[in-house]
Amino acid sequence: GEILAVTFTNKAANEMKERAGKLIGQHAVKDLWVSTFHSFGMKILRKYAYQAGYSPDFTLAEYGDQVGLIKQGLNELGLVEDGMSQDPKAILSLISMAKAKNQGPEDLEASSDPWEQRIGGIYRYYQEYLHALNIMYFDDLLMLTVRLLQKDEKVRSVLQEKFKYIMVDEFQDTNHIQMELLHALLPKEEPNICVVG
């Protein structure tokens, strides 16, 4: 119950649970926190949604809805004539990459690059719209969890107390935001982490 094990696919997480069940008995597996990074983020955000600025009944946006929202943002921000409307999927991809680096709209808006500034404006519109509707996107599950742990010492302490041991499967695949999540979960003194790669 003090171990958090994270991996990248549901298939791998289920295989880890199955192996654990053979070691400790299937009855004990239900208490284990073995999941993907994103499923872990979802559990944490459901539990601490209000601290993250959401309601616990938030929903996840579908990809098609996201593309439509980007198009709507481009139109409302007057960027359609600016040549930015040609590929809303590319803009969504840039926003996704920013979230993977734990960058919010303010980070892009502060850039000296005019293109990044415009992407930052669309990103801000997109996030504010999603937040107003209590909707998250897949990338938000990690970024919002990291930001919650970075700003809320009480939540961070509770989780650090609960998860005394962290195991990461397929460690070579971790990206920046996943590393920030691991760092936020590990206590400064006596961090116990095992990585498999």
Side-chain angles (χ1 to χ4, degrees):
E2 296 180 335
I3 300 171
L4 168 66
V6 286
T7 188
F8 289 86
T9 65
N10 288 321
K11 182 180 177 186
N14 290 333
E15 189 175 322
M16 287 166 64
K17 284 180 193 171
E18 191 178 303
R19 289 181 186 182
K22 289 177 183 172
L23 291 169
I24 63 173
Q26 289 300 327
H27 65 283
V29 172
K30 66 181 184 329
D31 295 327
L32 294 179
W33 282 65
V34 180
S35 69
T36 64
F37 277 95
H38 288 90
S39 293
F40 173 75
M42 173 87 91
K43 284 182 191 176
I44 297 305
L45 290 171
R46 288 269 186 233
K47 185 167 184 168
Y48 298 104
Y50 292 118
Q51 290 91 326
Y54 284 79
S55 171
D57 61 348
F58 64 82
T59 56
L60 287 180
E62 297 289 328
Y63 184 74
D65 295 335
Q66 296 166 51
V67 173
L69 184 55
I70 294 296
K71 288 179 181 175
Q72 181 180 321
L74 288 166
N75 193 38
E76 290 198 18
L77 296 170
L79 297 174
V80 173
E81 297 80 20
D82 206 11
M84 292 188 72
S85 63
Q86 294 169 359
D87 196 354
K89 290 179 183 176
I91 293 169
L92 196 56
S93 178
L94 291 169
I95 292 171
S96 183
M97 285 191 286
K99 288 181 181 183
K101 297 176 191 169
N102 198 13
Q103 292 179 327
E106 65 283 354
D107 296 305
L108 297 182
E109 289 171 329
S111 169
S112 58
D113 182 344
W115 171 256
E116 283 192 7
Q117 290 172 5
R118 284 181 287 189
I119 295 293
I122 298 164
Y123 182 1
R124 179 173 300 284
Y125 173 90
Y126 175 73
Q127 283 303 115
E128 287 174 356
Y129 194 93
L130 289 177
H131 186 261
L133 296 175
N134 201 38
I135 297 173
M136 291 184 193
Y137 176 48
F138 198 61
D139 296 324
D140 293 319
L141 297 176
L142 295 181
M143 189 178 84
L144 293 174
T145 302
V146 167
R147 290 187 168 204
L148 170 67
L149 294 173
Q150 289 173 338
K151 77 171 186 170
D152 195 317
E153 193 173 324
K154 186 177 178 187
V155 172
R156 187 172 63 251
S157 296
V158 167
L159 294 177
Q160 285 177 345
E161 183 64 28
K162 176 166 181 51
F163 302 118
K164 293 188 170 63
Y165 307 93
I166 297 177
M167 196 212 91
V168 186
D169 183 37
E170 302 292 347
F171 183 70
Q172 74 279 359
D173 294 332
T174 52
N175 64 16
H176 180 82
I177 195 75
Q178 291 157 343
M179 286 299 295
E180 284 201 40
L181 177 60
L182 295 171
H183 282 287
L185 287 167
L186 290 167
K188 297 280 187 256
E189 290 128 27
E190 297 185 38
N192 293 296
I193 184 165
C194 171
V195 300
V196 180

